[in-house]
Amino acid sequence: MEQRNQSRVSQFILLGLSEVGELQPLLFWLFLSMYLITFSGNLLIILAIIMDSHLHTPMYFFLSNLSFVDICFTSTTIPKMLLNIQTQSKVITYEGCLSQMYFFMLFGGLDNFLLTVMAYDRFVAICHPLYYMIIMNPKFCGILLLACWLLSVMDSLLHDLMVFQLSFCTQLEIPHFFCELKQMIQLACSDTFLNNLAIYLASGLLGVLPLIGILFSYSRIVASILKISSSGGKYKAFSTCGSHLSVVSLFYGTGFGVYLSSAALQNSRASAIASVMYTVVTPMLNPFIYGLRNRDLKQALRKLFS
């Protein structure tokens, strides 16, 4: 039996993606490059939307918020990982670990809810075009954004407070490059039944229900598009939601892929490597998906550079 800490632990050890010394410079430059691309790409989208008055619509309002959240999402994990590699230190304080876990869940949840709201926005635009500006008025858009923040804050705060109540053993090594909720619970010596129950309930209510909402919205969108007689009209209608559908597929595809791979491999280090897909790669690709597939946004970016 491992000895239980009677006092509050002061720090954890983040083992990272690899302990091979020769790989550390490669990992540093690789993740620094991806972080800079993610930060600059999403920042350009925000600036393009702010500067172009033609993009001051509900769709681009939510897109700019999604870009802001993606910047924050990667900023909760990658800078600390780069600092640890550069200083050759794997230590993170107890408070820092809880803070990182809180903000990671907060911005991850916001990504999920914003994608759901954006699917609803496309549903209204295509299925009820005459009432679009009436339904998606600025006040309602603000309420939707506020609801996304409140749900994410409450969910992440709940998990963080429940982890705060746990007692930890002498084994304080986290086989990950950031403080991930599941890994934290596995390190605890005290009973974690309520923590695991909260994870399953939150995943069901705040993960599956938004996905069902997205699938329902797109089923109605596809049905409406099929009713359009001209091929040009069908293409125009589908092009307005093609970028969002690509981002949704990437977000949920990588998320479920990581979950299934970690369940099959039963290897924490392999799970950490797989989680790079949705923590780093997905936020990095989002600006390219919207920037390359959306004509209005491409024009706004050209104006921004010119």
Side-chain angles (χ1 to χ4, degrees):
M1 293 290 291
E2 289 182 323
Q3 184 179 357
R4 179 181 297 188
N5 280 347
Q6 298 301 320
S7 59
R8 181 71 66 187
V9 297
S10 60
Q11 61 187 28
F12 294 94
I13 306 297
L14 292 171
L15 297 181
L17 295 174
S18 174
E19 295 184 72
V20 180
E22 292 77 9
L23 287 177
Q24 300 309 307
L26 175 63
L27 289 173
F28 177 84
W29 290 110
L30 176 63
F31 278 87
L32 177 61
S33 302
M34 289 194 292
Y35 178 68
L36 291 176
I37 292 171
T38 302
F39 191 94
S40 56
N42 283 288
L43 184 61
L44 282 174
I45 286 183
I46 295 172
L47 292 176
I49 292 172
I50 292 173
M51 298 297 289
D52 194 333
S53 59
H54 294 96
L55 301 184
H56 293 177
T57 63
M59 172 183 167
Y60 293 105
F61 169 72
F62 292 120
L63 176 58
S64 62
N65 278 276
L66 181 68
S67 295
F68 170 74
V69 168
D70 279 341
I71 291 174
C72 297
F73 187 53
T74 53
S75 297
T76 59
T77 56
I78 304 305
K80 177 58 180 174
M81 176 191 179
L82 295 175
L83 180 65
N84 285 359
I85 294 175
Q86 189 67 17
T87 59
Q88 297 182 353
S89 171
K90 299 180 180 181
V91 173
I92 184 170
T93 63
Y94 176 80
E95 294 79 9
C97 197
L98 286 182
S99 299
Q100 186 183 63
M101 186 175 65
Y102 170 79
F103 285 110
F104 179 82
M105 290 186 292
L106 171 66
F107 293 117
L110 274 169
D111 253 336
N112 180 36
F113 295 132
L114 281 172
L115 288 174
T116 307
V117 169
M118 291 170 75
Y120 175 73
D121 171 76
R122 293 299 83 206
F123 160 72
V124 176
I126 294 174
C127 299
H128 305 284
L130 297 178
Y131 299 99
Y132 177 66
M133 294 310 298
I134 298 174
I135 297 173
M136 301 301 294
N137 59 75
K139 182 179 179 180
F140 185 60
C141 290
I143 291 172
L144 288 175
L145 181 62
L146 180 62
C148 292
W149 275 94
L150 288 176
L151 286 171
S152 299
V153 166
M154 288 189 294
D155 177 54
S156 51
L157 187 61
L158 170 67
H159 290 299
D160 220 48
L161 291 175
M162 292 184 73
V163 170
F164 183 75
Q165 302 299 320
L166 296 177
S167 299
F168 293 93
C169 304
T170 53
Q171 178 64 30
L172 300 175
E173 293 182 343
I174 303 174
H176 218 299
F177 63 94
F178 66 94
C179 294
E180 200 256 343
L181 176 62
K182 200 172 181 182
Q183 298 292 340
M184 292 285 289
I185 292 175
Q186 289 176 355
L187 290 179
C189 289
S190 50
D191 183 38
T192 59
F193 172 76
L194 290 177
N195 297 78
N196 289 313
L197 180 63
I199 290 175
Y200 290 124
L201 289 176
S203 300
L205 293 174
L206 305 180
V208 176
L209 286 180
L211 179 58
I212 292 173
I214 292 173
L215 293 175
F216 173 77
S217 295
Y218 273 103
S219 67
R220 297 293 300 274
I221 288 171
V222 171
S224 296
I225 291 176
L226 292 176
K227 293 177 182 178
I228 301 174
S229 56
S230 65
S231 58
K234 289 180 179 179
Y235 175 78
K236 184 178 179 181
F238 183 75
S239 64
T240 62
C241 56
S243 300
H244 176 260
L245 188 58
S246 300
V247 171
V248 167
S249 302
L250 187 63
F251 180 79
Y252 283 101
T254 53
F256 282 120
V258 169
Y259 174 78
L260 293 175
S261 64
S262 61
L265 296 173
Q266 294 295 322
N267 187 315
S268 299
R269 185 57 60 83
S271 174
I273 295 172
S275 67
V276 172
M277 284 301 297
Y278 73 91
T279 56
V280 184
V281 176
T282 299
M284 181 182 69
L285 292 179
N286 286 354
F288 292 100
I289 293 173
Y290 277 102
L292 295 174
R293 293 179 62 92
N294 191 295
R295 185 177 60 185
D296 294 332
L297 194 54
K298 279 194 288 187
Q299 291 176 351
L301 288 169
R302 289 194 194 101
K303 289 179 182 178
L304 185 65
F305 284 114
S306 63

PDB file of all heavy atoms in Angstrom, residues 257-278:
ATOM      1  N   GLY A 257     -11.658   9.678 -31.069  1.00  0.00           N
ATOM      2  CA  GLY A 257     -10.499   8.847 -31.427  1.00  0.00           C
ATOM      3  C   GLY A 257      -9.549   8.677 -30.257  1.00  0.00           C
ATOM      4  O   GLY A 257      -9.062   7.578 -29.985  1.00  0.00           O
ATOM      5  N   VAL A 258      -9.300   9.775 -29.544  1.00  0.00           N
ATOM      6  CA  VAL A 258      -8.425   9.719 -28.363  1.00  0.00           C
ATOM      7  C   VAL A 258      -9.054   8.858 -27.270  1.00  0.00           C
ATOM      8  O   VAL A 258      -8.380   8.046 -26.627  1.00  0.00           O
ATOM      9  CB  VAL A 258      -8.156  11.143 -27.831  1.00  0.00           C
ATOM     10  CG1 VAL A 258      -7.483  11.100 -26.470  1.00  0.00           C
ATOM     11  CG2 VAL A 258      -7.302  11.913 -28.819  1.00  0.00           C
ATOM     12  N   TYR A 259     -10.367   9.011 -27.070  1.00  0.00           N
ATOM     13  CA  TYR A 259     -11.058   8.232 -26.037  1.00  0.00           C
ATOM     14  C   TYR A 259     -10.986   6.735 -26.344  1.00  0.00           C
ATOM     15  O   TYR A 259     -10.671   5.916 -25.470  1.00  0.00           O
ATOM     16  CB  TYR A 259     -12.517   8.671 -25.947  1.00  0.00           C
ATOM     17  CG  TYR A 259     -13.356   7.817 -25.011  1.00  0.00           C
ATOM     18  CD1 TYR A 259     -13.277   7.989 -23.632  1.00  0.00           C
ATOM     19  CD2 TYR A 259     -14.204   6.833 -25.503  1.00  0.00           C
ATOM     20  CE1 TYR A 259     -14.030   7.207 -22.776  1.00  0.00           C
ATOM     21  CE2 TYR A 259     -14.959   6.045 -24.652  1.00  0.00           C
ATOM     22  CZ  TYR A 259     -14.866   6.231 -23.292  1.00  0.00           C
ATOM     23  OH  TYR A 259     -15.610   5.443 -22.445  1.00  0.00           O
ATOM     24  N   LEU A 260     -11.250   6.366 -27.594  1.00  0.00           N
ATOM     25  CA  LEU A 260     -11.241   4.952 -27.974  1.00  0.00           C
ATOM     26  C   LEU A 260      -9.830   4.377 -27.937  1.00  0.00           C
ATOM     27  O   LEU A 260      -9.633   3.236 -27.509  1.00  0.00           O
ATOM     28  CB  LEU A 260     -11.840   4.783 -29.375  1.00  0.00           C
ATOM     29  CG  LEU A 260     -13.338   5.106 -29.500  1.00  0.00           C
ATOM     30  CD1 LEU A 260     -13.780   5.029 -30.963  1.00  0.00           C
ATOM     31  CD2 LEU A 260     -14.172   4.140 -28.659  1.00  0.00           C
ATOM     32  N   SER A 261      -8.839   5.170 -28.383  1.00  0.00           N
ATOM     33  CA  SER A 261      -7.458   4.671 -28.386  1.00  0.00           C
ATOM     34  C   SER A 261      -6.940   4.475 -26.962  1.00  0.00           C
ATOM     35  O   SER A 261      -6.256   3.495 -26.670  1.00  0.00           O
ATOM     36  CB  SER A 261      -6.550   5.636 -29.150  1.00  0.00           C
ATOM     37  OG  SER A 261      -6.499   6.890 -28.497  1.00  0.00           O
ATOM     38  N   SER A 262      -7.276   5.397 -26.051  1.00  0.00           N
ATOM     39  CA  SER A 262      -6.828   5.267 -24.666  1.00  0.00           C
ATOM     40  C   SER A 262      -7.498   4.089 -23.984  1.00  0.00           C
ATOM     41  O   SER A 262      -6.889   3.398 -23.158  1.00  0.00           O
ATOM     42  CB  SER A 262      -7.113   6.556 -23.886  1.00  0.00           C
ATOM     43  OG  SER A 262      -8.509   6.828 -23.868  1.00  0.00           O
ATOM     44  N   ALA A 263      -8.766   3.825 -24.334  1.00  0.00           N
ATOM     45  CA  ALA A 263      -9.476   2.684 -23.754  1.00  0.00           C
ATOM     46  C   ALA A 263      -8.915   1.363 -24.277  1.00  0.00           C
ATOM     47  O   ALA A 263      -8.835   0.369 -23.543  1.00  0.00           O
ATOM     48  CB  ALA A 263     -10.961   2.782 -24.077  1.00  0.00           C
ATOM     49  N   ALA A 264      -8.490   1.362 -25.541  1.00  0.00           N
ATOM     50  CA  ALA A 264      -7.982   0.129 -26.140  1.00  0.00           C
ATOM     51  C   ALA A 264      -6.539  -0.148 -25.735  1.00  0.00           C
ATOM     52  O   ALA A 264      -6.165  -1.288 -25.455  1.00  0.00           O
ATOM     53  CB  ALA A 264      -8.091   0.211 -27.663  1.00  0.00           C
ATOM     54  N   LEU A 265      -5.709   0.897 -25.683  1.00  0.00           N
ATOM     55  CA  LEU A 265      -4.288   0.709 -25.413  1.00  0.00           C
ATOM     56  C   LEU A 265      -3.985   0.530 -23.941  1.00  0.00           C
ATOM     57  O   LEU A 265      -3.013  -0.135 -23.579  1.00  0.00           O
ATOM     58  CB  LEU A 265      -3.498   1.906 -25.958  1.00  0.00           C
ATOM     59  CG  LEU A 265      -3.526   2.096 -27.488  1.00  0.00           C
ATOM     60  CD1 LEU A 265      -2.854   3.411 -27.861  1.00  0.00           C
ATOM     61  CD2 LEU A 265      -2.838   0.931 -28.189  1.00  0.00           C
ATOM     62  N   GLN A 266      -4.798   1.153 -23.065  1.00  0.00           N
ATOM     63  CA  GLN A 266      -4.544   1.124 -21.615  1.00  0.00           C
ATOM     64  C   GLN A 266      -3.125   1.603 -21.312  1.00  0.00           C
ATOM     65  O   GLN A 266      -2.446   1.083 -20.440  1.00  0.00           O
ATOM     66  CB  GLN A 266      -4.757  -0.300 -21.066  1.00  0.00           C
ATOM     67  CG  GLN A 266      -6.187  -0.789 -21.140  1.00  0.00           C
ATOM     68  CD  GLN A 266      -7.136   0.014 -20.254  1.00  0.00           C
ATOM     69  OE1 GLN A 266      -6.772   0.404 -19.151  1.00  0.00           O
ATOM     70  NE2 GLN A 266      -8.333   0.256 -20.745  1.00  0.00           N
ATOM     71  N   ASN A 267      -2.668   2.601 -22.062  1.00  0.00           N
ATOM     72  CA  ASN A 267      -1.321   3.136 -21.919  1.00  0.00           C
ATOM     73  C   ASN A 267      -1.414   4.647 -21.791  1.00  0.00           C
ATOM     74  O   ASN A 267      -1.824   5.326 -22.731  1.00  0.00           O
ATOM     75  CB  ASN A 267      -0.475   2.741 -23.141  1.00  0.00           C
ATOM     76  CG  ASN A 267       0.988   3.131 -22.972  1.00  0.00           C
ATOM     77  OD1 ASN A 267       1.305   4.232 -22.538  1.00  0.00           O
ATOM     78  ND2 ASN A 267       1.879   2.205 -23.330  1.00  0.00           N
ATOM     79  N   SER A 268      -1.041   5.173 -20.634  1.00  0.00           N
ATOM     80  CA  SER A 268      -1.196   6.600 -20.377  1.00  0.00           C
ATOM     81  C   SER A 268      -0.339   7.447 -21.302  1.00  0.00           C
ATOM     82  O   SER A 268      -0.751   8.512 -21.763  1.00  0.00           O
ATOM     83  CB  SER A 268      -0.846   6.909 -18.917  1.00  0.00           C
ATOM     84  OG  SER A 268      -1.713   6.222 -18.043  1.00  0.00           O
ATOM     85  N   ARG A 269       0.884   7.001 -21.591  1.00  0.00           N
ATOM     86  CA  ARG A 269       1.775   7.762 -22.461  1.00  0.00           C
ATOM     87  C   ARG A 269       1.238   7.786 -23.893  1.00  0.00           C
ATOM     88  O   ARG A 269       1.281   8.823 -24.567  1.00  0.00           O
ATOM     89  CB  ARG A 269       3.182   7.144 -22.425  1.00  0.00           C
ATOM     90  CG  ARG A 269       4.231   7.927 -23.203  1.00  0.00           C
ATOM     91  CD  ARG A 269       4.351   9.373 -22.721  1.00  0.00           C
ATOM     92  NE  ARG A 269       4.729   9.469 -21.334  1.00  0.00           N
ATOM     93  CZ  ARG A 269       5.987   9.384 -20.882  1.00  0.00           C
ATOM     94  NH1 ARG A 269       6.980   9.190 -21.720  1.00  0.00           N
ATOM     95  NH2 ARG A 269       6.248   9.519 -19.604  1.00  0.00           N
ATOM     96  N   ALA A 270       0.721   6.661 -24.370  1.00  0.00           N
ATOM     97  CA  ALA A 270       0.118   6.612 -25.714  1.00  0.00           C
ATOM     98  C   ALA A 270      -1.113   7.510 -25.782  1.00  0.00           C
ATOM     99  O   ALA A 270      -1.366   8.172 -26.791  1.00  0.00           O
ATOM    100  CB  ALA A 270      -0.250   5.174 -26.075  1.00  0.00           C
ATOM    101  N   SER A 271      -1.881   7.555 -24.688  1.00  0.00           N
ATOM    102  CA  SER A 271      -3.055   8.417 -24.620  1.00  0.00           C
ATOM    103  C   SER A 271      -2.644   9.887 -24.663  1.00  0.00           C
ATOM    104  O   SER A 271      -3.320  10.714 -25.296  1.00  0.00           O
ATOM    105  CB  SER A 271      -3.850   8.136 -23.340  1.00  0.00           C
ATOM    106  OG  SER A 271      -4.914   9.047 -23.197  1.00  0.00           O
ATOM    107  N   ALA A 272      -1.535  10.223 -24.012  1.00  0.00           N
ATOM    108  CA  ALA A 272      -1.041  11.602 -24.019  1.00  0.00           C
ATOM    109  C   ALA A 272      -0.643  12.022 -25.426  1.00  0.00           C
ATOM    110  O   ALA A 272      -0.923  13.151 -25.861  1.00  0.00           O
ATOM    111  CB  ALA A 272       0.141  11.739 -23.068  1.00  0.00           C
ATOM    112  N   ILE A 273       0.018  11.136 -26.145  1.00  0.00           N
ATOM    113  CA  ILE A 273       0.432  11.435 -27.526  1.00  0.00           C
ATOM    114  C   ILE A 273      -0.796  11.619 -28.417  1.00  0.00           C
ATOM    115  O   ILE A 273      -0.856  12.528 -29.236  1.00  0.00           O
ATOM    116  CB  ILE A 273       1.350  10.313 -28.069  1.00  0.00           C
ATOM    117  CG1 ILE A 273       2.655  10.277 -27.259  1.00  0.00           C
ATOM    118  CG2 ILE A 273       1.634  10.515 -29.554  1.00  0.00           C
ATOM    119  CD1 ILE A 273       3.543   9.097 -27.578  1.00  0.00           C
ATOM    120  N   ALA A 274      -1.799  10.753 -28.218  1.00  0.00           N
ATOM    121  CA  ALA A 274      -3.022  10.845 -29.022  1.00  0.00           C
ATOM    122  C   ALA A 274      -3.784  12.128 -28.731  1.00  0.00           C
ATOM    123  O   ALA A 274      -4.412  12.712 -29.628  1.00  0.00           O
ATOM    124  CB  ALA A 274      -3.913   9.634 -28.760  1.00  0.00           C
ATOM    125  N   SER A 275      -3.721  12.599 -27.480  1.00  0.00           N
ATOM    126  CA  SER A 275      -4.472  13.801 -27.104  1.00  0.00           C
ATOM    127  C   SER A 275      -3.917  15.069 -27.748  1.00  0.00           C
ATOM    128  O   SER A 275      -4.580  16.111 -27.746  1.00  0.00           O
ATOM    129  CB  SER A 275      -4.485  13.964 -25.577  1.00  0.00           C
ATOM    130  OG  SER A 275      -3.184  14.246 -25.097  1.00  0.00           O
ATOM    131  N   VAL A 276      -2.710  14.982 -28.310  1.00  0.00           N
ATOM    132  CA  VAL A 276      -2.151  16.124 -29.036  1.00  0.00           C
ATOM    133  C   VAL A 276      -3.074  16.523 -30.187  1.00  0.00           C
ATOM    134  O   VAL A 276      -3.175  17.698 -30.545  1.00  0.00           O
ATOM    135  CB  VAL A 276      -0.738  15.781 -29.570  1.00  0.00           C
ATOM    136  CG1 VAL A 276      -0.218  16.876 -30.507  1.00  0.00           C
ATOM    137  CG2 VAL A 276       0.229  15.595 -28.404  1.00  0.00           C
ATOM    138  N   MET A 277      -3.788  15.542 -30.748  1.00  0.00           N
ATOM    139  CA  MET A 277      -4.660  15.802 -31.892  1.00  0.00           C
ATOM    140  C   MET A 277      -5.718  16.847 -31.568  1.00  0.00           C
ATOM    141  O   MET A 277      -5.914  17.809 -32.315  1.00  0.00           O
ATOM    142  CB  MET A 277      -5.326  14.506 -32.356  1.00  0.00           C
ATOM    143  CG  MET A 277      -4.420  13.581 -33.142  1.00  0.00           C
ATOM    144  SD  MET A 277      -3.758  14.334 -34.630  1.00  0.00           S
ATOM    145  CE  MET A 277      -5.254  14.619 -35.562  1.00  0.00           C
ATOM    146  N   TYR A 278      -6.416  16.692 -30.437  1.00  0.00           N
ATOM    147  CA  TYR A 278      -7.507  17.627 -30.160  1.00  0.00           C
ATOM    148  C   TYR A 278      -7.078  18.822 -29.312  1.00  0.00           C
ATOM    149  O   TYR A 278      -7.777  19.831 -29.271  1.00  0.00           O
ATOM    150  CB  TYR A 278      -8.696  16.917 -29.491  1.00  0.00           C
ATOM    151  CG  TYR A 278      -8.513  16.517 -28.051  1.00  0.00           C
ATOM    152  CD1 TYR A 278      -8.877  17.365 -27.016  1.00  0.00           C
ATOM    153  CD2 TYR A 278      -8.009  15.267 -27.704  1.00  0.00           C
ATOM    154  CE1 TYR A 278      -8.719  17.005 -25.689  1.00  0.00           C
ATOM    155  CE2 TYR A 278      -7.858  14.889 -26.379  1.00  0.00           C
ATOM    156  CZ  TYR A 278      -8.205  15.766 -25.378  1.00  0.00           C
ATOM    157  OH  TYR A 278      -8.038  15.393 -24.069  1.00  0.00           O
TER     158      TYR A 278
END
